[in-house]
Amino acid sequence: MKYKVTLNGRTYEVEVEAGKAMLLAEYEAVAPAPVAAAPAAAPVAAPAAAPAAAPVVTGAGEAVKAPMPGNILKVNVSNGQAVKEGDVLVVLEAMKMENEIMAPKNGTVTQVLVQKGSTVDTGAPLVVIG
């Protein structure tokens, strides 16, 4: 395996085989030439992005909350849908793992607060079951 290593401004090309290293080449590291900045007009402030509003629970019932922060991969329910305890409501991806968020009780979905691709924090309401 060949590697290039820069140490104290000098670049070394090193080849490592079965626990044994051999120096192939040594040369000065050259920094890229700085780019001259064009004279800028008066700085223009970019408009600040509005923070995403937290979903508001308006449906009657029990909110099923995210147990951890992550991304919503799949929403398996819709408003008005009947669910049974243990049904998978949402698939939440956290730390490269898919977590199935299940219904805690039998009922009807009164509100879906997330959609595929949403990012949620711990404790964020996902679905309301009445």
Side-chain angles (χ1 to χ4, degrees):
M1 192 121 233
K2 292 183 182 182
Y3 299 97
K4 286 187 180 181
V5 180
T6 302
L7 180 63
N8 296 331
R10 296 190 65 99
T11 302
Y12 300 91
E13 191 171 322
V14 180
E15 184 174 334
V16 178
E17 281 185 19
K20 169 174 129 176
M22 179 180 7
L23 179 63
L24 299 179
E26 176 182 339
Y27 45 90
E28 291 291 324
V30 179
V35 177
V44 177
V56 178
V57 176
T58 58
E62 178 182 348
V64 178
K65 298 182 179 182
M68 63 195 78
N71 298 317
I72 303 299
L73 294 181
K74 190 188 299 184
V75 178
N76 293 336
V77 294
S78 58
N79 289 338
Q81 180 177 339
V83 293
K84 293 182 180 174
E85 183 177 348
D87 285 353
V88 177
L89 305 172
V90 175
V91 178
L92 173 71
E93 185 249 346
M95 299 185 337
K96 305 293 181 195
M97 299 280 297
E98 291 185 10
N99 301 283
E100 295 178 335
I101 310 303
M102 298 180 194
K105 64 179 186 175
N106 295 342
T108 302
V109 175
T110 58
Q111 190 176 12
V112 178
L113 299 162
V114 293
Q115 59 188 0
K116 182 178 177 180
S118 300
T119 301
V120 296
D121 289 325
T122 303
L126 305 172
V127 176
V128 178
I129 299 176

